[in-house]
Amino acid sequence: MLGSSRQYLHPEVVISRESESSYEVSIVKGLFQYGTSFDNPSTGLRFRVGPTAEYISTLSGPGPLYARLFSLESNLSLTSHLHEFYAFSPRTGYSLNFNAAFNNKDLGSTVDMQRFSMVGEYLFNFKDFDIPFFVVGARGSLGTIFSSERTGEDSLIPANYLYYIGGSQNLRGFGRKSLTLDGQGGMSMGYLGLEFRWVDNPLPFNFQPLFFYDIGKLGSKPSTLDSPLYYSPGIGLRWQSPVGSIRGTISRGYTQGEEESKLQFFISLGEEF
């Protein structure tokens, strides 16, 4: 049974610039959302919905030179309190996030587009020891864009709204957002990663070795994933420093049907699986 609830209003203005290997854009975005949250002893539920106005200028890469998006955006998140409690030393719990954005030319946007995404994570403390022995984690994401537009130099969909994979948050055997469809983002994306972290081990300084395997695909059409399959097995090391978690990983990225592979190294501060 759900327990306490809260309601609030969330205004926000964001000015940002994204510079990636496939594109560079500058963004001005304003939003005003209604939010509510519910909590019971084990789980927290958060929901936000409201209008947004966004102006995007493409400095390099595909997509329109200027884009104007008036959207209705919503977010629904479900998170266990154990996941929140152990946020700085992850060991158990789950989180699930759903996002949706709706755009229509009749309401002033430069493109008709509906974008949906889901991101989830589950952590399992093997044998449920007070000091974990093994922590097993699974995370994944799905996303798609419904639109009559398709990717290409003359597409009306801004490049930063398309899907890219590669990097420390998904396929760790490839560079950040380096996996594209002929140099452009996809209309759909799917990713799944598994990680095994050895916490209670004989290594000094509380170093924690980890082993992982990531797979992912992109799609050139809505709700469709195309070949090839990308995958990256790898190993890494985690250290809980006084200023946050430091993680280093090394992984080899493979593309289905190709013999050539790439070796990729990441080091991060504050990132967790």
Side-chain angles (χ1 to χ4, degrees):
M1 179 178 293
L2 292 175
S4 62
S5 65
R6 293 169 294 276
Q7 300 181 63
Y8 58 93
L9 295 175
H10 177 79
E12 184 178 0
V13 175
V14 178
I15 300 174
S16 62
R17 183 168 180 150
E18 296 183 17
S19 181
E20 304 289 351
S21 58
S22 300
Y23 67 87
E24 185 173 1
V25 297
S26 61
I27 304 164
V28 178
K29 181 176 182 178
L31 59 86
F32 189 84
Q33 294 183 322
Y34 162 80
T36 185
S37 62
F38 301 88
D39 286 276
N40 67 17
S42 63
T43 307
L45 180 69
R46 310 285 185 269
F47 176 71
R48 291 196 329 201
V49 63
T52 69
E54 186 172 8
Y55 297 87
I56 301 170
S57 175
T58 301
L59 306 176
S60 65
L65 186 60
Y66 298 101
R68 181 181 62 253
L69 301 175
F70 296 107
S71 313
L72 178 66
E73 294 190 0
S74 63
N75 169 264
L76 176 66
S77 66
L78 184 68
T79 307
S80 70
H81 293 316
L82 285 175
H83 190 276
E84 295 173 322
F85 183 79
Y86 292 113
F88 298 104
S89 182
R91 62 188 65 183
T92 188
Y94 61 86
S95 67
L96 193 60
N97 281 274
F98 300 90
N99 291 282
F102 305 90
N103 302 95
N104 192 300
K105 282 185 176 180
D106 294 336
L107 299 178
S109 294
T110 54
V111 60
D112 288 320
M113 174 177 64
Q114 291 76 47
R115 194 173 192 261
F116 301 90
S117 64
M118 178 179 68
V119 179
E121 176 179 288
Y122 179 77
L123 297 173
F124 172 66
N125 178 0
F126 181 70
K127 295 293 186 181
D128 202 27
F129 293 120
D130 288 338
I131 299 177
F133 182 61
F134 269 109
V135 172
V136 182
R139 68 182 179 185
S141 57
L142 289 170
T144 193
I145 298 171
F146 291 100
S147 175
S148 59
E149 290 287 323
R150 293 295 181 265
T151 58
E153 291 294 331
D154 299 325
S155 175
L156 294 178
I157 301 176
N160 61 306
Y161 266 71
L162 298 172
Y163 292 102
Y164 308 81
I165 50 178
S168 61
Q169 289 298 297
N170 43 65
L171 270 81
R172 287 166 279 187
F174 299 89
R176 174 181 163 85
K177 294 189 177 182
S178 63
L179 295 176
T180 63
L181 297 171
D182 297 323
Q184 300 181 42
M187 298 283 287
S188 300
M189 176 274 295
Y191 154 74
L192 177 65
L194 299 174
E195 182 174 291
F196 301 86
R197 178 159 50 92
W198 187 8
V199 180
D200 189 14
N201 64 74
L203 294 179
F205 308 111
N206 198 27
F207 287 131
Q208 301 171 9
L210 52 96
F211 314 88
F212 60 86
Y213 195 93
D214 303 321
I215 61 173
K217 271 189 173 187
L218 289 170
S220 59
K221 298 178 181 179
S223 65
T224 301
L225 296 177
D226 303 326
S227 294
L229 174 72
Y230 303 101
Y231 55 100
S232 53
I235 59 174
L237 201 63
R238 178 186 184 274
W239 178 53
Q240 186 64 49
S241 80
V243 295
S245 167
I246 296 177
R247 288 168 61 100
T249 63
I250 186 168
S251 176
R252 187 167 288 278
Y254 296 91
T255 302
Q256 187 180 39
E258 297 183 10
E259 294 184 3
E260 184 179 352
S261 62
K262 302 176 182 179
L263 198 63
Q264 181 71 48
F265 174 77
F266 285 105
I267 187 167
S268 63
L269 172 63
E271 280 190 0
E272 295 287 6
F273 183 80

